[in-house]
């Protein structure tokens, strides 16, 4: 088991972010999401472990209540399949970032079980948010990832990619300000932190880690509720 404190941070951030999206007191599902993320990034991704992980995912889907919003089970199941097949599926050129962003988005959509919370703008914000986080991770791994992946940091020069990331961060802030006021505090904290890290690495990315931004987004959402 490759235990790292960053895995705990990411798992806890996932739990808190999922919890903050729906203002729910039903903790079991956000806790399971956080624990699943922690386990996924901690254990080596061998075929046996991935099959066990997929089995637990199917069991989770089967335990979800059959309600008027049961259609959200299918994005959840699709996200699980994408996540498990990721080690080979990501070999498709340009596919790594969309796969990660869509998987995380679908998991979070499964938490947002009300029509007021679930809309096109919230879906777009989640896609952009996890797209930024996935791209930042690719920046850190650009020397490790296979060139066949053609990730954004491998395709776009840094002086272009930095403006793309900054523009997306601004779009996230703008969308939440005008359309998702309950997320705006989280978006402000995330945007402030991400912009600071981005400008600290403006000339050349040295230590480019935006994962703590997810925790800040969650904390901002919870502060808004107060």
């Amino acid at each position: 088991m490759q235990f790292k404190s960053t895995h705990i941070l990411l798992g806890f951030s996932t739990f808190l972010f999922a919890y903050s999206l729906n203002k729910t007191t039903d903790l079991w599902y956000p806790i399971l999401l956080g624990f699943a993320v922690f386990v996924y990034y901690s254990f080596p991704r061998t075929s046996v472990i991935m099959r066990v992980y997929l089995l637990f995912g199917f069991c989770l889907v089967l335990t979800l209540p059959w309600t008027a919003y049961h259609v959200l089970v299918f994005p959840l199941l699709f996200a699980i399949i994408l996540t498990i097949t990721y080690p080979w599926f990501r070999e498709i050129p340009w596919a790594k970032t969309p796969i990660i962003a869509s998987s995380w988005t679908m998991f979070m959509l499964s938490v947002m079980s009300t029509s007021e919370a679930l809309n096109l703008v919230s879906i777009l914000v989640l896609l952009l948010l996890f797209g930024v986080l996935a791209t930042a991770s690719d920046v850190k791994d650009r020397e490790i990832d296979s060139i066949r992946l053609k990730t954004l940091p491998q395709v776009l020069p840094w002086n272009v990619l930095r403006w793309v990331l900054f523009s997306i961060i601004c779009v996230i802030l703008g969308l939440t300000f005008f359309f998702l006021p309950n997320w705006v505090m989280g978006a402000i904290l995330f945007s402030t932190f991400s912009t600071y890290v981005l400008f600290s690495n403006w000339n050349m990315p040295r230590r480019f880690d935006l994962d703590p931004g997810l925790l800040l987004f969650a904390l901002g959402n919870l502060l808004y509720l107060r």
Side-chain angles (χ1 to χ4, degrees):
M1 183 173 180
Q2 300 174 355
F3 179 83
K4 292 183 180 180
S5 59
T6 53
H7 299 157
I8 298 178
L9 175 63
L10 189 56
F12 179 73
S13 300
T14 302
F15 151 71
L16 204 64
F17 186 70
Y19 175 75
S20 73
L21 292 180
N22 203 29
K23 309 176 187 178
T24 179
T25 56
D26 190 5
L27 288 175
W28 72 270
Y29 185 60
I31 289 175
L32 280 178
L33 279 182
F35 181 73
V37 168
F38 167 73
V39 171
Y40 180 76
Y41 284 99
S42 297
F43 282 97
R45 296 167 198 176
T46 63
S47 58
V48 175
I49 291 178
M50 289 296 99
R51 289 191 180 94
V52 172
Y53 200 77
L54 181 58
L55 176 62
F56 277 113
F58 275 111
C59 292
L60 174 61
V61 169
L62 292 176
T63 61
L64 291 178
W66 192 257
T67 66
Y69 300 100
H70 63 269
V71 68
L72 294 178
V73 170
F74 297 102
L76 173 60
L77 181 59
F78 181 62
I80 292 172
I81 294 173
L82 275 182
T83 303
I84 300 304
T85 57
Y86 172 73
W88 66 265
F89 196 34
R90 72 172 190 172
E91 293 295 329
I92 302 174
W94 303 85
K96 184 181 178 183
T97 298
I99 289 171
I100 295 175
S102 59
S103 297
W104 278 80
T105 297
M106 288 177 187
F107 276 118
M108 295 304 166
L109 292 181
S110 63
V111 178
M112 300 162 59
S113 57
T114 63
S115 57
E116 292 81 7
L118 182 60
N119 53 66
L120 291 177
V121 179
S122 60
I123 293 172
L124 178 59
V125 169
L126 289 175
L127 278 171
L128 294 176
L129 169 65
F130 291 116
V132 168
L133 294 176
T135 303
S137 179
D138 288 340
V139 171
K140 293 187 297 181
D141 297 339
R142 65 190 183 282
E143 303 296 336
I144 304 173
D145 284 337
S146 169
I147 193 63
R148 294 181 302 171
L149 296 180
K150 296 186 184 300
T151 62
L152 287 178
Q154 293 174 334
V155 174
L156 296 178
W158 176 242
N159 61 346
V160 174
L161 182 58
R162 65 190 182 188
W163 284 109
V164 172
L165 290 172
F166 180 69
S167 299
I168 295 176
I169 292 169
C170 291
V171 169
I172 292 173
L173 185 59
L175 288 175
T176 55
F177 182 81
F178 289 106
F179 301 104
L180 300 171
N182 54 318
W183 290 7
V184 70
M185 183 65 68
I188 290 173
L189 293 180
F190 171 79
S191 301
T192 302
F193 171 77
S194 300
T195 301
Y196 170 76
V197 174
L198 184 61
F199 276 84
S200 297
N201 295 272
W202 192 249
N203 294 323
M204 181 66 66
R206 294 178 176 84
R207 186 175 180 181
F208 198 66
D209 185 7
L210 297 186
D211 286 346
L214 185 64
L215 178 60
L216 292 175
F217 206 129
L219 291 174
N221 288 351
L222 295 175
L223 286 174
Y224 179 86
L225 298 181
R226 293 181 180 275

